[in-house]
Amino acid sequence: QTYRIWLPDDQPEMIFTQKFFEQKLLYLHANPVEAKITATMEEYPYSSAAFYSTGKEGLIPITPMRFLE
């Protein structure tokens, strides 16, 4: 079976603002919930959702992203 991370017709966009970054991050964090893998975003062990909501480190080290506007 073959899996895709990105849809073939996606158009990349540069992220220049904190608001746009947070929108895209929320989309990524919601994917395991949408796929019914977990009940909450923070439960998915390979997500940074728990880090961004609680500051708690997960399986993968996270470097927080911030944009100067």
Side-chain angles (χ1 to χ4, degrees), residues 2-45:
T2 302
Y3 296 94
R4 288 183 184 226
I5 295 175
W6 310 113
L7 294 175
D9 61 342
D10 280 349
Q11 297 296 316
E13 294 183 55
M14 294 294 288
I15 298 176
F16 290 109
T17 67
Q18 184 69 28
K19 182 178 177 181
F20 191 62
F21 169 74
E22 290 171 3
Q23 175 191 17
K24 299 308 172 191
L25 192 63
L26 179 59
Y27 170 79
L28 292 173
H29 288 163
N31 282 336
V33 178
E34 294 282 327
K36 298 183 180 7
I37 296 171
T38 61
T40 68
M41 295 182 282
E42 293 82 7
E43 290 175 10
Y44 190 62

